[in-house]
Amino acid sequence: MIRTRAPVHSAAPPAAARPGASAYFILIVILIDSIGFGIVLPVVPGIVMKLGHVDLPTATRIGGWLGVVYAAVQFLSGPLVGNLGDRFGRRPVLLGSLAGFTIDYLLLGFAPSLTWLFIGRAFAGFFGASFGPAGAALADVSAPQERARYFGMMGAAFGIGFIVGPAIGGLLGELGARAPFYAAAVLTAANFLFGAFVFRETLAPENRRPFLWSRANPVGAFHALRKLRGVVPLLAAAFFWNLAAMIYPTIWSFFAIAAFGWGPGTIGASLALVGGLMVASQILIVGRIVKALGERRAAALGMTAAAFGFLAYTMVHSSVLAFAVLGVQLVSACAMPAISGLISRHVPANAQGELQGFNGSLNSIAAIIAPALYSAILAYFTGPSAPFRFVGASFVIAIAFVLVALAILLGSSKAQAEGEDQIPPATPS
């Protein structure tokens, strides 16, 4: 029997899970987690060169493969974690993620060789980042039409962390390449303890479903989600957008050294500026743009702004101009919250964890491709065998991915766009 869709205004989060303390806790988790993540970014090139006894181009390639290992493991485990969240709730999954990352930072801090760096990244990939479970929990506590705003708040929390984290990491990096990893481990452990005592479960019992191994893998999750109208094109657009956006965490530290000769302090300052702009965007701009243009057009605007920013980095060779171009983040930060809210509208409450898990797997595929591609291109065009030096070559590829994402997003059918004021019923148990 075909079931009709219910209007959005009739679908509200359960009373026990309405926005409140749980939402604030999730945002605090993202804040502290992003601080820990940002702390280590300025020193990754240094510790790879130190442990590997290699030059910068070789370290760039190694850094790319570290990202590939992390993403490959996360690709396989993402739907598993998401389905566990739909069965047992968000709390145990989120706390497990934080515990795993604490161990990862300790492994990286004490790593005696490059082999241990790869082991640490694989370990972190298995547990996954906290953003997937946190996104599912935010979906639990918010009405569908409000999710873009909540995902924007999550982006703002991440941005604040990116102000504080790289700034601290840049300062600690001057003391030694390992110091930021120890600081990140302490912060993540504190985050785990905070969650263990404060965080309440957000997934209501009636919205849970049995755990099925057939859906706890990327293929099974895709098979389940593709039955929901309009989800696949939006996931494809999000995939190519993430593939483009990953150029910053993948190669920025290496790019900044090669293009501008920056040290850890300046790299940390640049990342802190990006975080500040993200916060300003999420607080002052994203909500207004989404309200005025709608989620689809807001995402398209953010992608377009990012493409112009990438284009600028193919030509900029001045540190002053490099900081100025980072200002494009003020608008490009609209893309991810808008498209995340758009996708979540198409998925019922008892499959939000599965959605986040599968989306995490898609992000992992992007994270496998991005470091292998961007790092290799940067290393080649800054290495001795390059026919000419072109530090911004990787950004040309990122522009192409943005254009693909934009074409998919704007090419979605009119029927799909008209259906975005509807949400599907709960999936069968």
Side-chain angles (χ1 to χ4, degrees):
M1 182 175 65
I2 298 175
R3 300 175 64 183
T4 58
R5 295 184 173 195
V8 162
H9 59 72
S10 69
R18 291 187 186 278
S22 294
Y24 289 121
F25 166 77
I26 295 164
L27 297 175
I28 291 172
V29 166
I30 294 299
L31 170 64
I32 298 176
D33 204 41
S34 64
I35 291 174
F37 180 76
I39 281 177
V40 305
L41 285 180
V43 298
V44 169
I47 199 167
V48 171
M49 287 188 285
K50 178 180 179 180
L51 293 180
H53 306 289
V54 295
D55 59 9
L56 181 60
T58 304
T60 302
R61 290 190 180 92
I62 294 172
W65 284 112
L66 284 170
V68 168
V69 168
Y70 169 81
V73 175
Q74 193 174 62
F75 166 71
L76 297 173
S77 61
L80 170 64
V81 172
N83 276 270
L84 287 173
D86 286 336
R87 171 63 182 89
F88 298 105
R90 317 304 183 197
R91 186 176 186 273
V93 173
L94 187 57
L95 293 179
S97 170
L98 295 174
F101 262 86
T102 300
I103 297 172
D104 171 53
Y105 287 132
L106 288 174
L107 284 175
L108 294 176
F110 287 103
S113 66
L114 285 176
T115 300
W116 280 98
L117 289 183
F118 280 96
I119 292 173
R121 288 289 79 192
F123 191 86
F126 177 78
F127 283 93
S130 62
F131 297 102
L138 275 181
D140 292 339
V141 300
S142 59
Q145 66 269 25
E146 296 178 344
R147 286 176 189 160
R149 181 170 67 89
Y150 273 92
F151 285 129
M153 293 172 66
M154 189 167 73
F158 182 84
I160 294 173
F162 240 58
I163 297 173
V164 179
I168 296 174
L171 293 175
L172 292 176
E174 301 294 340
L175 302 177
R178 296 179 183 272
F181 291 98
Y182 302 143
V186 171
L187 277 174
T188 310
N191 210 5
F192 170 81
L193 292 174
F194 176 58
F197 287 101
V198 174
F199 184 43
R200 298 177 62 185
E201 181 56 59
T202 62
L203 185 63
E206 62 270 20
N207 286 332
R208 301 188 187 190
R209 59 179 175 81
F211 177 84
L212 299 173
W213 282 106
S214 60
R215 295 173 65 163
N217 60 82
V219 176
F222 176 75
H223 179 71
L225 291 171
R226 73 181 178 87
K227 298 177 181 178
L228 301 173
R229 190 178 72 175
V231 170
V232 172
L234 294 175
L235 286 172
F239 167 75
F240 282 103
W241 164 248
N242 281 319
L243 187 56
M246 282 178 183
I247 193 168
Y248 285 118
T250 298
I251 67 164
W252 179 257
S253 296
F254 298 94
F255 170 78
I257 296 172
F260 314 118
W262 292 352
T266 309
I267 293 172
S270 69
L271 292 172
L273 175 61
V274 171
L277 292 171
M278 286 177 62
V279 172
S281 178
Q282 305 296 350
I283 294 176
L284 302 175
I285 295 178
V286 171
R288 290 181 172 88
I289 291 178
V290 171
K291 184 176 181 179
L293 302 179
E295 291 161 332
R296 185 181 298 271
R297 292 188 181 91
L301 177 63
M303 292 177 185
T304 302
F308 280 106
F310 295 158
L311 179 63
Y313 278 122
T314 66
M315 300 177 285
V316 168
H317 300 288
S318 163
S319 294
V320 175
L321 291 177
F323 274 91
V325 172
L326 288 174
V328 78
Q329 295 295 330
L330 201 64
V331 178
S332 66
C334 294
M336 201 63 244
I339 200 168
S340 295
L342 198 58
I343 294 171
S344 72
R345 282 176 174 264
H346 292 71
V347 179
N350 69 348
Q352 288 291 332
E354 182 173 53
L355 167 66
Q356 297 295 336
F358 180 73
N359 199 35
S361 285
L362 284 182
N363 291 343
S364 296
I365 296 175
I368 292 170
I369 298 171
L373 181 61
Y374 294 142
S375 299
I377 292 173
L378 177 61
Y380 176 73
F381 279 99
T382 57
S385 61
F388 56 91
R389 182 177 172 84
F390 185 19
V391 181
S394 298
F395 286 94
V396 175
I397 307 302
I399 292 171
F401 289 138
V402 172
L403 294 179
V404 172
L406 195 56
I408 294 172
L409 182 69
L410 297 180
S412 299
S413 67
K414 182 179 179 182
Q416 177 182 325
E418 290 174 348
E420 283 163 8
D421 62 345
Q422 304 283 314
I423 61 170
T427 57
S429 301

